Amino acid sequence: NEQMKHQLDALFRHTMNGIEYNPVHLSNVAQSFASIVKTVSNKRGKPNPQQTILYNLFVRNRASFWEKLQSRTLTDMDSFRPKWLVSVGWAFATILDPLARNGNHLDTSPFFIQLHKTFGKRKSEFTSKSMGNLAWSCMTCRQNMPLLLNDFSEEFIRRRKHISIVDDGLDPTTLGQWANAFAKAGHKDKELFQSISDAAIPLLWKFDARHFSNLAYAFALAEVVPELDDRSSLFDEIATAAIPRMRTFSPQNITNVLWAYAKMEHASPDLFEAATREAMPRLKEFSAQHLANLASALSKFPPSSLDVAFDLIAEEVVARGLDSFSPQGLSMLAHSFATVKHVKNSAFWDSIDHTATARLSKLGPIECSMIAWSFAKIERSSDDLFRGIESLAIAKMNFIKPQGISNLAWAFAMLGYDSPDFFEAIAQQSIQRLDDFKLQDYVILVLAFSRISHSSPELFDEIASRSLPHLSKFTELDIMNLTLSYVKAGHQSEHFQGAIAKEIVRRPSNFSPQMIVGIAHSYASAGYRIPALFNCLSDGCIGNVDKLGTKQVASLAWSFASLDFYNRPFLGALADSSDGRWQGFDASSLANMAWAYTTAQEDRPLLFEGITNAAIDKNNEFTSQGVSMLLWACSAAGHLDRRLFDSLAPTATALLHECNSQALANIAWSYTVANVDSDSLFGPKSHFLDVLAEKYDEFDHVGLSQLHQWNIWRKNVANDTALPPHLEKRCYDAFIGQPVHRSKMQKDVISELVTMGLHLEEESLTQSGYRLDALVEVDGKQIGVEVDGPHHFVGRKPTGSTILKHRQIATVDRIPIVSLPYWELNSLDSSDDKQQYLQAKLGIN
């Protein structure tokens, strides 16, 4: 064996060093080595010494080999046939966990990132089978690649819509792989799953038990049950096709199918009858988890032979014992039997009681609540068990879900376990988290507390508050008492705010303009957007805005804008009332006004001029938040008065260390948009980069993208100051990683350009990191085409983002930009009109 080890190791090193850029060799080596690992891993029992040697040869301390294989694949991926890429992807998916178990980490993200690019260029070469295999590999490698999966999905859907496209990859295994890959990756595109369903139904006669199981399981995991033209569903068709073949189903196949139907609450009596008939004589073949899953599914859709089925499951559980059942399986069994009130087998419940009590330390919050509920449901007391659950619940109350809290309270109350400490913990935790409770949970809590000596008026007040959407169940007196208790308790509640809003709407004349300011600000601060309330507030105040002070005007504007509630006449009235008294606004109010009207995309140049003039005079009064807010607002609105930026530069410089990450990014971005260089703020002696470094980990995706744009600008205007390489890369990755959104107008323009015979690249990534809607070649020259919709303008003036993008692409990437404003495009009716317009814009004779 030692000689064999040395020989094999030498051969492995020879192979590793000899890997060339030959796609066939690379894919064959990857698949062969991974296949050996899979064979050994899947072998039941202890592997023999030779198998162990082979397994260790390809796994232990071999991450460098797989990294090298990946690197060689990336070098020339475009020359790989799809089937070779499938082999490599499958190999990575197969080897990843064995490597991890041996302490080796393999990052496969470069492979899938490059695969996405390759697929974009060569998607017609990929069969549905290869796309499904690669999607499965991506999911198995735990790579978060929504854009790649989306492209796979769109291509699959497109092919299904065009029956003229010949696709040789659709078979039961492939369809199951598609569904499982996308479901487990969390990519729950209903149109995709509808297409998979449409493709699967004609092939159901080819499905075996595993195929039925995988397909049903995946659709349930994705929470999609496609409907057919005759108002039946995929699950109906699966049931019809699966029932005659139920004898071929393994225990896992049976439980997976039943789990899927139970999860989706899709009744199929014939299927459950057939599955029950098949399962009962074979219960000894079921693993512990399969038995628990079977009982759980049958408790949701009981078969006609329910008592017999649960008798047999109980007998099997008692015979084999509960040692092999996990805490989850144990609680599922108890919950299932309690749900159907099956209590005949006392030995079964004795075993549940004894095992749960002995294993209390291993039970989680969910298991505790399920077992407690189960015992209360069948009216079975267990002092030792419930004392243990009480201790665990009090210690872990923060981690128990609302339904678990209400079930615990109900179970303890029903069985007479009246523990003051326990119910006080329940009450306090419930009061803090009632926003998460369902109405049913409220009712259960009220019922539980009504049966014990421990009272909690505050809890009842809060439950009533949250129950107000269901006013038909409560009297008007209840509503009024709720309002009073909320004020007394001091707890915020969106439901409660909604109730107060209704009261305000019912009697708006009782509220003065000054009160309206406070109401609007409180709702906005809490984030409660209630249109009826804000319509009422604006109607009640619009005629009296001249009576408001400057702080109140700014507060109202901020409140409405922060909730995206843009009452244009009201915002206009606030703006008009501010004209001529801008000097009376303090710095904070100026920033709030600028932010509000930029956020609302209000085209008011006089307003921004007034704010600018006042802000220049008050430049020393701004806080770090205020200065960043004002600069961002003016820049985003495209109001780029250099005087403002020059005036606030010293203030911003002095406040750098007080700025949070968002403020720093906004300041940098604002000066970039305005194209105003400030030596004190960004020059060699500035502390700007030092402050950025201090807050390196605090920047979000938006902030990093803003800093990337600033970095481009600094390199262009002053080569002496730019981001350090590690931060520069992070910012660049964030910038290019922004999601791509293609509007209908953009797609229409692209279609016309293609029809004109122009060579173009859609969503072209420039060297600076920007994406052009289209990069078009005209007379041997490249021109960037931007389809600029309403959000690219304030009125008909470009926003700061639009200005900056056009400028940086033109100056940094040296690509001239042709902007196509939405109002010009909207004026074009026919395809000929659009093409003539595009020819004129692009300078084509």
Side-chain angles (χ1 to χ4, degrees), residues 396-552:
K396 298 181 179 180
M397 193 66 71
N398 290 337
F399 304 99
I400 303 177
K401 293 182 178 181
Q403 184 179 3
I405 292 175
S406 61
N407 283 344
L408 280 171
W410 180 83
F412 274 69
M414 288 296 292
L415 293 176
Y417 291 113
D418 188 354
S419 167
D421 291 341
F422 174 77
F423 279 100
E424 179 61 24
I426 288 278
Q428 293 304 317
Q429 190 64 211
S430 299
I431 290 168
Q432 295 173 21
R433 296 166 55 192
L434 274 177
D435 282 343
D436 300 326
F437 280 67
K438 297 179 180 179
L439 181 62
Q440 185 179 10
D441 297 327
Y442 300 158
V443 174
I444 295 173
L445 279 173
V446 172
L447 177 62
F449 276 81
S450 69
R451 295 175 67 93
I452 61 172
S453 60
H454 186 86
S455 62
S456 180
E458 186 180 7
L459 175 61
F460 278 84
D461 289 342
E462 291 294 334
I463 288 175
S465 170
R466 303 314 195 280
S467 301
L468 272 174
H470 307 275
L471 292 178
S472 60
K473 301 176 184 178
F474 299 95
T475 67
E476 185 68 20
L477 180 62
D478 293 329
I479 295 173
M480 294 305 296
N481 288 335
L482 168 64
T483 303
L484 295 174
S485 65
Y486 173 83
V487 174
K488 184 178 178 179
H491 292 282
Q492 290 190 347
S493 162
E494 187 171 357
H495 294 290
F496 179 73
Q497 293 283 17
I500 296 297
K502 290 180 180 179
E503 290 298 318
I504 295 170
V505 171
R506 283 176 50 187
R507 46 190 179 91
S509 60
N510 292 346
F511 298 91
S512 66
Q514 289 74 20
M515 292 173 65
I516 287 174
V517 172
I519 292 169
H521 190 271
S522 64
Y523 274 78
S525 297
Y528 298 134
R529 188 181 192 275
I530 304 175
L533 171 65
F534 277 79
N535 279 327
C536 174
L537 295 179
S538 59
D539 291 344
C541 194
I542 194 168
N544 298 300
V545 291
D546 290 336
K547 299 178 182 178
L548 298 174
T550 55
K551 286 186 177 180
Q552 294 170 326

Side-chain angles (χ1 to χ4, degrees), residues 130-334:
S130 62
M131 287 189 288
N133 287 335
L134 289 167
W136 176 87
S137 297
C138 183
M139 176 275 298
T140 305
C141 288
R142 295 178 283 279
Q143 291 298 319
N144 183 20
M145 296 287 294
L147 295 180
L148 172 61
L149 294 182
N150 189 59
D151 284 354
F152 282 159
S153 173
E154 289 182 352
E155 181 63 16
F156 184 87
I157 293 169
R158 185 185 71 83
R159 293 184 186 184
R160 293 305 305 162
K161 288 181 178 178
H162 295 80
I163 58 175
S164 60
I165 297 178
V166 177
D167 194 335
D168 59 350
L170 292 179
D171 55 42
T173 300
T174 297
L175 291 168
Q177 200 166 38
W178 267 91
N180 270 281
F182 280 78
K184 291 178 180 178
H187 193 95
K188 302 176 181 181
D189 183 341
K190 289 187 177 181
E191 188 176 4
L192 169 65
F193 281 89
Q194 182 67 56
S195 295
I196 295 173
S197 172
D198 294 342
I201 288 173
L203 300 176
L204 287 178
W205 64 275
K206 292 184 178 181
F207 276 53
D208 61 21
R210 181 172 59 88
H211 297 143
F212 286 122
S213 169
N214 288 342
L215 195 67
Y217 180 87
F219 273 78
L221 196 63
E223 300 179 338
V224 178
V225 181
E227 292 189 356
L228 309 181
D229 293 338
D230 61 357
R231 305 187 71 84
S232 63
S233 74
L234 171 66
F235 274 30
D236 295 323
E237 297 294 325
I238 289 177
T240 301
I243 289 171
R245 305 173 211 181
M246 192 58 66
R247 288 189 175 184
T248 65
F249 278 59
S250 69
Q252 183 175 358
N253 298 151
I254 293 173
T255 54
N256 277 358
V257 168
L258 296 187
W259 173 88
Y261 281 69
K263 176 177 172 56
M264 298 310 296
E265 299 182 355
H266 190 93
S268 180
D270 291 343
L271 175 67
F272 274 70
E273 292 290 344
T276 303
R277 285 195 303 270
E278 182 61 33
M280 291 306 110
R282 300 168 53 194
L283 288 180
K284 293 187 182 300
E285 301 174 24
F286 283 65
S287 69
Q289 190 60 51
H290 292 152
L291 273 179
N293 288 341
L294 178 65
S296 178
L298 294 181
S299 71
K300 293 184 178 180
F301 290 114
S304 60
S305 57
L306 173 69
D307 284 343
V308 173
F310 273 79
D311 281 341
L312 292 172
I313 293 173
E315 290 173 6
E316 179 62 28
V317 170
V318 172
R320 70 170 67 177
L322 289 168
D323 290 343
S324 60
F325 285 80
S326 67
Q328 180 191 33
L330 179 67
S331 62
M332 286 176 66
L333 274 178

Side-chain angles (χ1 to χ4, degrees), residues 28-45:
N28 285 345
V29 168
Q31 185 169 19
S32 299
F33 288 6
S35 296
I36 293 171
V37 172
K38 181 180 180 181
T39 300
V40 178
S41 298
N42 291 347
K43 184 177 177 60
R44 294 183 179 181

Side-chain angles (χ1 to χ4, degrees), residues 41-99:
S41 298
N42 291 347
K43 184 177 177 60
R44 294 183 179 181
K46 186 177 180 181
N48 62 43
Q50 286 82 6
Q51 292 169 336
T52 300
I53 290 172
L54 285 172
Y55 182 87
N56 291 337
L57 180 68
F58 302 127
V59 172
R60 187 161 295 173
N61 300 320
R62 296 304 190 189
S64 60
F65 164 74
W66 296 99
E67 288 169 356
K68 184 174 182 180
L69 189 145
Q70 177 174 229
S71 176
R72 294 289 173 87
T73 303
L74 296 178
T75 301
D76 195 20
M77 185 178 285
D78 286 344
S79 66
F80 277 66
R81 293 181 183 177
K83 67 177 183 179
W84 299 337
L85 293 174
V86 168
S87 295
V88 176
W90 178 86
F92 287 149
T94 303
I95 200 70
L96 201 66
D97 284 341
L99 282 174

Side-chain angles (χ1 to χ4, degrees), residues 568-821:
R568 302 298 175 184
F570 182 63
L571 289 174
L574 291 177
D576 293 341
S577 74
S578 304
D579 189 30
R581 54 174 182 157
W582 289 113
Q583 292 299 330
F585 283 72
D586 62 20
S588 176
S589 297
L590 290 171
N592 282 336
M593 286 292 283
W595 181 89
Y597 282 83
T598 295
T599 302
Q601 286 193 288
E602 284 273 316
D603 183 20
R604 296 189 176 275
L606 292 179
L607 178 141
F608 280 95
E609 183 177 340
I611 291 174
T612 296
N613 291 332
I616 291 172
D617 292 339
K618 301 175 188 295
N619 63 77
N620 293 323
E621 299 175 17
F622 284 89
T623 62
S624 59
Q625 181 182 5
V627 72
S628 67
M629 196 176 185
L630 177 63
L631 288 170
W632 174 87
C634 290
S635 298
H639 186 81
L640 310 176
D641 190 325
R642 186 183 181 95
R643 296 178 304 134
L644 176 68
F645 290 86
D646 287 337
S647 173
L648 290 180
T651 304
T653 301
L655 296 171
L656 280 179
H657 288 283
E658 299 178 21
C659 291
N660 60 24
S661 59
Q662 181 183 358
L664 289 170
N666 283 343
I667 290 171
W669 184 82
S670 300
Y671 278 86
T672 303
V673 173
N675 201 22
V676 175
D677 192 10
S678 169
D679 191 67
S680 66
L681 192 54
F682 305 122
K685 296 182 180 180
S686 168
H687 296 289
F688 188 79
L689 289 178
D690 296 332
V691 178
L692 288 185
E694 292 173 6
K695 304 185 185 303
Y696 175 84
D697 294 325
E698 300 176 17
F699 289 97
D700 61 11
H701 184 86
V702 174
L704 292 170
S705 297
Q706 289 175 313
L707 289 177
H708 172 71
Q709 292 171 302
W710 173 81
N711 192 47
I712 295 173
W713 173 65
R714 291 302 300 168
K715 285 185 175 181
N716 196 36
V717 300
N719 292 325
D720 59 334
T721 305
L723 294 174
H726 64 286
L727 181 54
E728 181 177 31
K729 184 180 186 306
R730 187 176 172 213
C731 292
Y732 175 80
D733 289 342
F735 188 73
I736 65 171
Q738 298 176 92
V740 176
H741 300 289
R742 297 176 176 86
S743 67
K744 182 178 181 298
M745 185 176 290
Q746 178 183 339
K747 293 177 181 177
D748 185 49
V749 169
I750 297 299
S751 177
E752 295 295 346
L753 291 171
V754 171
T755 302
M756 292 164 61
L758 293 175
H759 175 73
L760 61 83
E761 180 182 348
E762 191 176 1
E763 294 298 340
S764 177
L765 182 65
T766 69
Q767 187 175 358
S768 63
Y770 283 101
R771 289 190 183 275
L772 289 164
D773 290 345
L775 184 62
V776 182
E777 186 175 315
V778 177
D779 296 332
K781 296 180 180 180
Q782 290 186 325
I783 298 176
V785 175
E786 284 290 296
V787 181
D788 291 326
H791 290 293
H792 292 261
F793 299 91
V794 178
R796 291 198 171 182
K797 297 184 301 182
T799 63
S801 295
T802 303
I803 292 171
L804 181 58
K805 180 178 182 179
H806 291 185
R807 186 176 71 229
Q808 289 195 324
I809 292 176
T811 59
V812 177
D813 296 303
R814 304 294 183 185
I815 299 174
I817 296 293
V818 170
S819 173
L820 308 179

